[in-house]
mmCIF file of all heavy atoms in Angstrom:
data_model
loop_
_atom_site.group_PDB
_atom_site.id
_atom_site.type_symbol
_atom_site.label_atom_id
_atom_site.label_comp_id
_atom_site.label_asym_id
_atom_site.label_seq_id
_atom_site.Cartn_x
_atom_site.Cartn_y
_atom_site.Cartn_z
ATOM 1 N N LYS Z 244 -13.894 3.389 -77.851
ATOM 2 C CA LYS Z 244 -12.565 3.789 -78.269
ATOM 3 C C LYS Z 244 -11.395 3.471 -77.332
ATOM 4 O O LYS Z 244 -10.631 4.288 -76.986
ATOM 5 C CB LYS Z 244 -12.563 5.332 -78.528
ATOM 6 C CG LYS Z 244 -13.496 5.867 -79.550
ATOM 7 C CD LYS Z 244 -12.825 5.914 -80.915
ATOM 8 C CE LYS Z 244 -13.808 6.288 -82.016
ATOM 9 N NZ LYS Z 244 -14.815 7.318 -81.750
ATOM 10 N N PRO Z 245 -11.396 2.229 -76.876
ATOM 11 C CA PRO Z 245 -10.209 1.873 -76.090
ATOM 12 C C PRO Z 245 -8.968 1.921 -76.964
ATOM 13 O O PRO Z 245 -9.084 1.835 -78.235
ATOM 14 C CB PRO Z 245 -10.464 0.453 -75.582
ATOM 15 C CG PRO Z 245 -11.558 -0.066 -76.485
ATOM 16 C CD PRO Z 245 -12.247 1.055 -77.073
ATOM 17 N N GLY Z 246 -7.812 2.035 -76.395
ATOM 18 C CA GLY Z 246 -6.574 2.163 -77.174
ATOM 19 C C GLY Z 246 -5.512 2.942 -76.446
ATOM 20 O O GLY Z 246 -5.682 3.372 -75.337
ATOM 21 N N LEU Z 247 -4.410 3.220 -77.169
ATOM 22 C CA LEU Z 247 -3.326 3.953 -76.592
ATOM 23 C C LEU Z 247 -3.351 5.391 -77.211
ATOM 24 O O LEU Z 247 -3.423 5.565 -78.372
ATOM 25 C CB LEU Z 247 -1.981 3.328 -76.985
ATOM 26 C CG LEU Z 247 -1.636 2.075 -76.280
ATOM 27 C CD1 LEU Z 247 -0.344 1.407 -76.878
ATOM 28 C CD2 LEU Z 247 -1.457 2.303 -74.783
ATOM 29 N N TYR Z 248 -3.341 6.384 -76.275
ATOM 30 C CA TYR Z 248 -3.326 7.770 -76.760
ATOM 31 C C TYR Z 248 -2.170 8.443 -76.216
ATOM 32 O O TYR Z 248 -1.769 8.303 -75.108
ATOM 33 C CB TYR Z 248 -4.641 8.411 -76.333
ATOM 34 C CG TYR Z 248 -5.860 7.727 -76.944
ATOM 35 C CD1 TYR Z 248 -6.608 6.797 -76.235
ATOM 36 C CD2 TYR Z 248 -6.139 7.969 -78.309
ATOM 37 C CE1 TYR Z 248 -7.647 6.124 -76.827
ATOM 38 C CE2 TYR Z 248 -7.171 7.240 -78.901
ATOM 39 C CZ TYR Z 248 -7.939 6.364 -78.164
ATOM 40 O OH TYR Z 248 -8.951 5.689 -78.788
ATOM 41 N N ARG Z 249 -1.545 9.290 -77.100
ATOM 42 C CA ARG Z 249 -0.211 9.822 -76.737
ATOM 43 C C ARG Z 249 -0.273 11.381 -76.659
ATOM 44 O O ARG Z 249 -0.981 12.028 -77.416
ATOM 45 C CB ARG Z 249 0.803 9.442 -77.758
ATOM 46 C CG ARG Z 249 0.972 7.913 -77.812
ATOM 47 C CD ARG Z 249 1.838 7.434 -78.956
ATOM 48 N NE ARG Z 249 1.657 6.085 -79.220
ATOM 49 C CZ ARG Z 249 2.214 5.114 -78.437
ATOM 50 N NH1 ARG Z 249 3.111 5.501 -77.500
ATOM 51 N NH2 ARG Z 249 1.998 3.861 -78.647
ATOM 52 N N GLY Z 250 0.521 11.864 -75.766
ATOM 53 C CA GLY Z 250 0.715 13.354 -75.637
ATOM 54 C C GLY Z 250 2.058 13.673 -75.143
ATOM 55 O O GLY Z 250 2.892 12.825 -74.992
ATOM 56 N N GLN Z 251 2.266 14.963 -74.895
ATOM 57 C CA GLN Z 251 3.595 15.394 -74.384
ATOM 58 C C GLN Z 251 3.444 16.536 -73.353
ATOM 59 O O GLN Z 251 2.368 17.156 -73.252
ATOM 60 C CB GLN Z 251 4.376 16.002 -75.594
ATOM 61 C CG GLN Z 251 5.045 14.911 -76.434
ATOM 62 C CD GLN Z 251 5.650 15.463 -77.663
ATOM 63 O OE1 GLN Z 251 5.008 15.608 -78.653
ATOM 64 N NE2 GLN Z 251 6.951 15.825 -77.609
ATOM 65 N N CYS Z 252 4.497 16.718 -72.594
ATOM 66 C CA CYS Z 252 4.485 17.828 -71.703
ATOM 67 C C CYS Z 252 4.467 19.100 -72.521
ATOM 68 O O CYS Z 252 5.205 19.228 -73.532
ATOM 69 C CB CYS Z 252 5.781 17.775 -70.831
ATOM 70 S SG CYS Z 252 5.922 19.238 -69.778
ATOM 71 N N ALA Z 253 3.623 20.069 -72.157
ATOM 72 C CA ALA Z 253 3.429 21.205 -72.991
ATOM 73 C C ALA Z 253 3.830 22.491 -72.273
ATOM 74 O O ALA Z 253 3.286 23.543 -72.582
ATOM 75 C CB ALA Z 253 1.968 21.301 -73.487
ATOM 76 N N GLU Z 254 4.755 22.397 -71.333
ATOM 77 C CA GLU Z 254 5.236 23.648 -70.767
ATOM 78 C C GLU Z 254 6.760 23.446 -70.552
ATOM 79 O O GLU Z 254 7.176 22.466 -69.955
ATOM 80 C CB GLU Z 254 4.600 23.945 -69.453
ATOM 81 C CG GLU Z 254 5.082 25.231 -68.750
ATOM 82 C CD GLU Z 254 4.793 26.511 -69.574
ATOM 83 O OE1 GLU Z 254 3.624 26.661 -69.982
ATOM 84 O OE2 GLU Z 254 5.748 27.238 -69.825
ATOM 85 N N LEU Z 255 7.534 24.396 -71.073
ATOM 86 C CA LEU Z 255 8.973 24.284 -71.017
ATOM 87 C C LEU Z 255 9.365 24.043 -69.544
ATOM 88 O O LEU Z 255 9.002 24.740 -68.660
ATOM 89 C CB LEU Z 255 9.621 25.581 -71.446
ATOM 90 C CG LEU Z 255 11.163 25.625 -71.382
ATOM 91 C CD1 LEU Z 255 11.790 24.553 -72.265
ATOM 92 C CD2 LEU Z 255 11.693 26.965 -71.825
#
Side-chain angles (χ1 to χ4, degrees):
Chain Z
K244 298 270 173 40
L247 288 173
Y248 298 101
R249 298 170 197 280
Q251 278 171 274
C252 176
E254 180 63 53
L255 180 59

